[in-house]
């Protein structure tokens, strides 16, 4: 999602590009951090959901396990497939944002579960817990005033923390909407 594996550039890569520095070590923007608090606040609200978007708990929180693998007519995904896809994509975006050594899964198969249903309740609950944990980690990253929101991520190819937070929020909102429609179609 954040960066496709296996892509290489034909031009020379600068030393800065291959740096292992975290986005927070990127100094040029640190003086702006006191002025970007309204943006940080808005990004946090967007990541958490609510306002014009469904929250994760509203869409998935009380989903009955026995319906997690149910498909409905003309809809290609189950709740399990969507939950796992959201979890994997969110983890990828988060790790890309904070870890220069992160390698994204292969697209598209690495972003979707092999099974249509969770193996058991433990797998369902673990996926939900991991999703929440990674979302909170992205929220902490966005909240950290030492993190330069507008600075290019040194190991990326133009991405910024603002871009990654917006990508994450947009991706989650899209699939939470799908889960809301699936919930309605199933009759939950």
């Amino acid at each position: 999602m954040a960066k496709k594996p296996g892509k290489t550039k034909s031009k020379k890569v600068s030393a800065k590009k291959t740096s292992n520095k975290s986005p927070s070590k990127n100094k040029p923007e640190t003086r702006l951090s006191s002025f970007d608090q309204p943006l940080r606040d808005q990004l946090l609200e967007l990541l958490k959901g609510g306002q014009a978007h469904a929250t994760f708990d509203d869409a998935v929180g009380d989903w009955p396990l026995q319906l997690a693998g149910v498909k409905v007519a003309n809809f290609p995904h189950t709740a399990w497939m969507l939950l796992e896809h959201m979890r994997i994509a969110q983890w990828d975006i988060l790790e890309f944002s904070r870890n220069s050594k992160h390698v994204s899964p292969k697209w598209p198969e690495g972003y979707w579960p092999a099974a249509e249903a969770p193996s058991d309740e433990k797998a369902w609950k673990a996926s939900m817990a991991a999703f929440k944990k990674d979302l909170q980690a992205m929220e902490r990253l966005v909240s950290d005033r030492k993190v330069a929101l507008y600075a290019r991520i040194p190991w990326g190819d133009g991405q910024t923390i603002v871009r990654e937070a917006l990508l994450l929020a947009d991706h989650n909102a899209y699939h939470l909407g799908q889960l809301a429609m699936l919930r309605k179609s199933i009759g939950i």
Side-chain angles (χ1 to χ4, degrees):
M1 294 301 295
K3 185 176 174 186
K4 301 282 191 271
K7 285 198 171 186
T8 58
K9 295 197 179 246
S10 59
K11 63 182 181 180
K12 282 189 172 180
V13 179
S14 70
K16 185 178 179 185
K17 184 87 166 179
T18 59
S19 169
N20 285 334
K21 290 181 180 179
S22 72
S24 64
K25 304 280 191 237
N26 221 340
K27 299 291 183 196
E29 190 188 319
T30 55
R31 68 179 184 271
L32 297 176
S33 65
S34 62
F35 299 106
D36 64 12
Q37 192 59 48
L39 175 60
R40 290 179 193 276
D41 294 343
Q42 288 299 310
L43 288 171
L44 289 171
E45 290 299 316
L46 190 59
L47 287 166
K48 290 176 184 176
Q51 298 178 354
H53 298 95
T55 66
F56 179 77
D57 286 332
D58 290 341
V60 185
D62 63 348
W63 201 287
L65 179 63
Q66 66 272 20
L67 299 177
V70 171
K71 272 193 171 180
V72 297
N74 300 317
F75 194 78
H77 308 298
T78 66
W80 171 248
M81 294 167 76
L82 290 169
L83 172 61
E84 274 293 276
H85 173 67
M86 290 172 55
R87 180 191 65 76
I88 294 165
Q90 179 173 257
W91 164 82
D92 180 44
I93 294 166
L94 171 64
E95 288 306 310
F96 168 76
S97 298
R98 66 184 185 178
N99 180 356
S100 65
K101 296 183 184 348
H102 174 68
V103 177
S104 293
K106 187 173 179 183
W107 177 259
E109 60 272 12
Y111 289 86
W112 290 95
E116 292 182 357
S119 56
D120 55 23
E121 184 177 10
K122 185 178 178 182
W124 177 254
K125 287 184 175 181
S127 185
M128 290 196 330
F131 178 90
K132 289 179 180 183
K133 180 182 172 200
D134 286 345
L135 181 57
Q136 290 170 348
M138 181 56 99
E139 290 169 4
R140 283 192 303 275
L141 187 66
V142 167
S143 296
D144 186 348
R145 293 178 139 222
K146 294 177 185 171
V147 173
L149 293 178
Y150 302 107
R152 288 181 173 207
I153 297 171
W155 49 87
D157 41 4
Q159 299 92 335
T160 65
I161 296 300
V162 168
R163 186 259 188 194
E164 296 304 300
L166 290 171
L167 176 66
L168 180 63
D170 186 49
H171 188 262
N172 285 349
Y174 177 80
H175 290 299
L176 288 172
Q178 285 186 304
L179 282 161
M181 291 304 296
L182 183 57
R183 175 184 284 275
K184 188 174 181 175
S185 297
I186 293 172
I188 300 174

